[in-house]
Amino acid sequence: MVLCGANSYTQKYYLGDEFSMLPEAVKQELQIMCVLYVEDIGGILTLAYDEEGGLEFRVDSEEGDYLFDEIGSVLKIKQLRQDKRELLEALELFYRTFFMQAQANESKREESV
């Protein structure tokens, strides 16, 4: 499930509809983080949840994009993970609590029917 993302080619930011209930300050911090990343590095950055509820930084670039900084991308993600550790951990806990728990409860209901 995609939390958010930014695209340097279209100059757009995206926040998943499922996360509209997040506090405005959190949404703004995510937007700033993603937009600054693609401004510095280029390409497309997507923050998505894996099956265990961990946040993954997914990076993509168009073929032939010589301005995309692949080495800088790795370093910037490492820096973001360190600088935004509390935010990222809180978002993982939020997802596990509200989305994964709801899915587990739904599965239990279906098994009991």
Side-chain angles (χ1 to χ4, degrees):
M1 180 177 292
V2 174
L3 170 62
C4 61
N7 185 325
S8 68
Y9 307 114
T10 61
Q11 296 184 339
K12 292 190 179 182
Y13 170 77
Y14 168 79
L15 177 71
D17 293 335
E18 300 87 357
F19 302 101
S20 62
M21 80 285 274
L22 287 172
E24 198 60 39
V26 172
K27 292 192 277 189
Q28 288 176 357
E29 192 167 349
L30 287 169
Q31 183 175 5
I32 291 167
M33 181 177 72
C34 290
V35 170
L36 286 178
Y37 172 91
V38 297
E39 286 293 315
D40 289 347
I41 305 299
I44 302 166
L45 172 68
T46 307
L47 272 67
Y49 290 98
D50 61 21
E51 292 180 9
E52 289 83 37
L55 264 176
E56 295 181 343
F57 284 73
R58 298 179 184 165
V59 178
D60 197 16
S61 65
E62 291 181 354
E63 192 168 329
D65 181 359
Y66 301 110
L67 298 176
F68 177 72
D69 184 358
E70 201 167 324
I71 295 170
S73 173
V74 173
L75 297 173
K76 186 73 168 179
I77 290 172
K78 185 176 180 177
Q79 177 191 4
L80 288 172
R81 286 194 177 278
Q82 184 176 7
D83 293 348
K84 304 290 184 183
R85 191 179 100 237
E86 287 182 32
L87 172 66
L88 297 173
E89 287 174 355
L91 288 166
E92 289 174 345
L93 180 62
F94 168 81
Y95 181 77
R96 288 181 186 124
T97 302
F98 289 99
F99 290 92
M100 293 181 77
Q101 190 65 35
Q103 290 171 351
N105 290 341
E106 185 66 31
S107 294
K108 288 179 185 177
R109 268 189 247 135
E110 289 175 1
E111 290 174 4
S112 65
V113 173

